[in-house]
Every structure is written in C-alpha cells, then in structure tokens.
Amino acid sequence: MLVSFMKKLTDRFAAVLLGMLCFVGCSSSDSGSKGVPLSAPGNMALTAKSGELLVQFSRVAGIGAEGSEKYPSYEVSIGTREDGSDKVLLSPEVNSGSSNLVQFTITRAAASGQLGVIYEYPTLEDGKEYWIFVRSNFASADYGYSGYTKLQAVPIPMPTAVDNATVTAGDKRIVVSWTAKPYEEYGVNMDDCPKSPSQLTPGFWSPANLTSGDNYVFTVDNNTTTHKLCVMSRNANGAGEWHIFGTVVLPTPGDNGSITYTSYKGADATTAPDAPVVTLVKNANKR
C-alpha cells in the first residue's frame, strides 16, 4: 500500500511540474492570447495651422519574443466630441514616419507641395475645437486594438490686420494699444520700422517686442525725442501685415511709393492727478 501511495504522489508531482514548464515556456509566445496588455501611442504632439493639423507620436514597442516581435500600425480618427461619439475614421493603418516617430497631416483640402501622408477632412474649420483619436492596431497579429490616445486641436486662423491701434503719450513713456484677437501675438517696433512700401510684405521685418496682450509700453529717456511706431500680428501660420502709424503711398508705375511716419514723444506731467471722489459707500459684515 505504501508503495502504491508513493507512486501516485510521484505521478502527481510529475504532472504538476510538466504543467509549470509548459506555462513558463509557452505563454509569452502565444499569438492568440487575449490577455496581453497593448500599449497606446505615447508622446503625441500636434501643430495646428489654418486648415491643417500635423500629428506626431512615438511608435509602440512590439509584442512577442525578441527577434520575432509583432509591431502595430495605427488607427486614426477625428471628431468634435471628447467622448468620441461622433468621430470619423480617417485610416485604419497609418504607419508613416521615421523609425521612432509616426506622423501625418489632416487637411481641409490637399495642396500641391505637401509631403508625407495627407488625410483630407473637408469640414475642418479654423477656430473650431477637434479631438484626434489614435490607437495601436495589432489586429493583423490577432491581438486586437489598444485603448485610444486623444488630443485636442484647434486649427489656427490666418493672422489678421491690427485693428483700432492707438498711441498714448505719458511722462517718459509711449503706450501702443490695439484690439487683441484669439490665436495671435503681436510684435511692436519703435524707430526700426519698414522704410519703404516694398518692406511692408508680411514677414519681411521681425517684430522686436512680442506680446499676446492688447498693448505695449515703451519707456523713453526723455519727452523731447520723437519716435516712429509700427506693429504686426503673427501666429503659427506666419506674419500678418504691418500697421503703420502714419501715411503709406503705395508704388505706382514710375513711382517707388513712400512712407511718412507720425512722430510721437513722451508728454510732460503738468498737474497732479485729481483726488478721488467717493460716490458710494456700502456696509458689509465687519467692513
């Protein structure tokens, strides 16, 4: 009886050992496994321009034994809702870019000279919010799809002309103000402004003092020296047109045109500011 018992124990131990060896040696190379975690694309970055979205992200590592890994392609969709309920599939298998980077462009309409993979999305509007959805596609290796990586994007409108620009003089300061617009920044120059109408071409001059606000304050050494001023708007699409404080005569046949700048200088302080006048007092708890 003891011999029979020991034989059964030995048989069971052998069966358990065989099962363990099979688990260690077979599970990582099982291409039909449904429990393998799949990595979504990472380090996604986006450059937005007028009618165009350039998307880039890092490639996902392959699955499987070294030397026989299965690599994914990538599924790309676009929509206007973060939950993806209205997303539109652009491509099920994007795989373009450098060895470590995948990139593609979504455009309102394809244009000549554009390189790389282009996906047309005719309803792409400047100034409107979109969501880009990308996930790893291991379907060809029978692993399925990863979760989505998503990123919000807004195609940026072209820069516009500077509106309602004014100059205000103070004591040893000159303030240039304008109507600020979304997605734009502004460069303001003092004295170093275009010297002829041919230099008014957008982008010809590099704005000296950048701000995303609606004004720029110059501090001047005195209130006697005169200055000329100009301002330009720009964004990711490039530079807009110069706003010149003065008069521009555009070239005509036989004439080179001209620019006559208005002269500005600081204003001497003459009187102390008026004393404040109390017009209303309200009672509040402990104050």
Side-chain angles (χ1 to χ4, degrees):
M1 182 178 295
L2 180 59
V3 174
S4 176
F5 173 77
M6 291 300 295
K7 185 177 184 305
K8 289 181 180 179
L9 185 61
T10 301
D11 291 343
R12 289 180 181 178
F13 177 75
V16 171
L17 180 60
L18 180 61
M20 291 177 63
L21 290 173
C22 183
F23 175 77
V24 173
C26 302
S27 63
S28 64
S29 62
D30 183 1
S31 63
S33 173
K34 303 301 181 181
V36 176
L38 303 178
S39 298
N43 302 320
M44 186 183 293
L46 190 146
T47 302
K49 293 185 178 182
S50 178
E52 177 182 307
L53 300 172
L54 171 63
V55 183
Q56 298 177 317
F57 55 88
S58 300
R59 290 188 184 277
V60 170
I63 294 177
E66 184 176 355
S68 59
E69 299 94 333
K70 301 295 184 181
Y71 291 94
S73 56
Y74 303 91
E75 180 190 274
V76 178
S77 302
I78 185 173
T80 60
R81 299 172 184 170
E82 185 178 3
D83 63 6
S85 58
D86 69 340
K87 67 179 181 295
V88 175
L89 179 66
L90 296 179
S91 175
E93 295 185 342
V94 179
N95 204 18
S96 176
S98 67
S99 57
N100 296 319
L101 193 68
V102 178
Q103 58 186 15
F104 58 89
T105 303
I106 302 171
T107 64
R108 181 166 49 238
S112 60
Q114 287 180 325
L115 302 176
V117 179
I118 307 296
Y119 298 109
E120 289 188 49
Y121 187 66
T123 58
L124 195 67
E125 297 180 27
D126 289 350
K128 184 175 180 178
E129 294 183 353
Y130 294 90
W131 285 89
I132 309 300
F133 301 86
V134 181
R135 63 178 179 174
S136 303
N137 179 358
F138 282 95
S140 61
D142 296 328
Y143 283 98
Y145 296 85
S146 71
Y148 283 105
T149 297
K150 57 185 177 182
L151 193 66
Q152 190 180 49
V154 178
I156 298 176
M158 296 294 293
T160 56
V162 178
D163 291 340
N164 302 321
T166 60
V167 176
T168 304
D171 187 24
K172 292 187 177 179
R173 66 175 187 159
I174 299 174
V175 182
V176 183
S177 305
W178 56 87
T179 302
K181 298 176 182 177
Y183 316 114
E184 293 186 4
E185 63 178 357
Y186 302 87
V188 191
N189 281 15
M190 174 180 282
D191 299 327
D192 187 21
C193 288
K195 297 175 176 58
S196 68
S198 63
Q199 294 180 343
L200 296 176
T201 303
F204 183 87
W205 226 262
S206 297
N209 305 291
L210 289 175
T211 174
S212 57
D214 59 0
N215 70 87
Y216 193 89
V217 180
F218 288 99
T219 300
V220 294
D221 295 333
N222 54 62
N223 294 330
T224 57
T225 304
T226 59
H227 302 277
K228 54 188 177 183
L229 301 166
C230 50
V231 58
M232 175 193 282
S233 63
R234 71 179 189 181
N235 59 24
N237 295 298
E241 296 180 357
W242 282 103
H243 179 94
I244 299 298
F245 292 94
T247 303
V248 178
V249 178
L250 297 176
T252 57
D255 180 19
N256 294 325
S258 63
I259 299 178
T260 302
Y261 283 93
T262 302
S263 296
Y264 295 95
K265 60 183 180 179
D268 294 333
T270 55
T271 59
D274 294 335
V277 178
V278 178
T279 58
L280 178 66
V281 177
K282 286 188 176 182
N283 294 327
N285 184 35
K286 296 183 180 180
R287 64 186 177 91

